[in-house]
Amino acid sequence: MNKTEWVITKHSLNTRPRCPTCHAEMTKGDLKITCDVRWTPPHKNKEGQSFTVPRTFHYCLKWECVSGTSPRDSSIKEPPHVFGVDSTAEFTPDEWKVVTFLDFPLAFD
């Protein structure tokens, strides 16, 4: 997981993640940006060493949140240059207008 990928999608689970920057809570159906990275938990393994695990961060749909200070102990090194669009998410025309209105640089596979 060397490259950090940022993806615009819809929250589809019955969980309530919080944006790591502004702490806004997301609920099912909310538009969001995800970022899959490596993260170092605050505890050590049984040998007393630090380790990393895969983690998904869930950001609200604000440039100031994704371009702000990266979550502590994550592998995010810089703000995104381009955003992918989740091809499995079903965006309504109004949701798509929101995404395009924000003028994020988008990449389609």
Side-chain angles (χ1 to χ4, degrees):
M1 202 182 300
N2 297 334
K3 184 179 165 204
T4 303
E5 292 189 29
W6 300 81
V7 178
I8 297 173
T9 188
K10 285 173 75 167
H11 190 62
S12 61
L13 303 174
N14 285 324
T15 59
R16 295 180 179 268
R18 292 188 176 272
C19 175
T21 307
C22 73
H23 308 289
E25 185 177 82
M26 289 160 233
T27 59
K28 191 171 183 176
D30 287 348
L31 295 175
K32 66 178 181 176
I33 297 170
T34 60
C35 182
D36 292 326
V37 297
R38 300 296 298 178
W39 177 72
T40 305
H43 55 278
K44 310 278 187 211
N45 66 14
K46 63 184 177 181
E47 288 84 29
Q49 299 170 327
S50 294
F51 60 98
T52 64
V53 295
R55 176 155 182 197
T56 300
F57 287 99
H58 305 264
Y59 288 86
C60 60
L61 213 57
K62 296 179 192 168
W63 177 253
E64 55 268 20
C65 286
V66 296
S67 65
T69 303
S70 299
R72 201 170 119 209
D73 299 324
S74 78
S75 63
I76 300 171
K77 300 297 180 216
E78 60 185 31
H81 298 289
V82 67
F83 295 86
V85 177
D86 183 353
S87 61
T88 65
E90 295 182 19
F91 298 103
T92 67
D94 286 341
E95 289 169 336
W96 189 243
K97 284 179 188 174
V98 169
V99 170
T100 56
F101 174 78
L102 294 171
D103 205 26
F104 287 122
L106 303 178
F108 298 92
D109 290 332

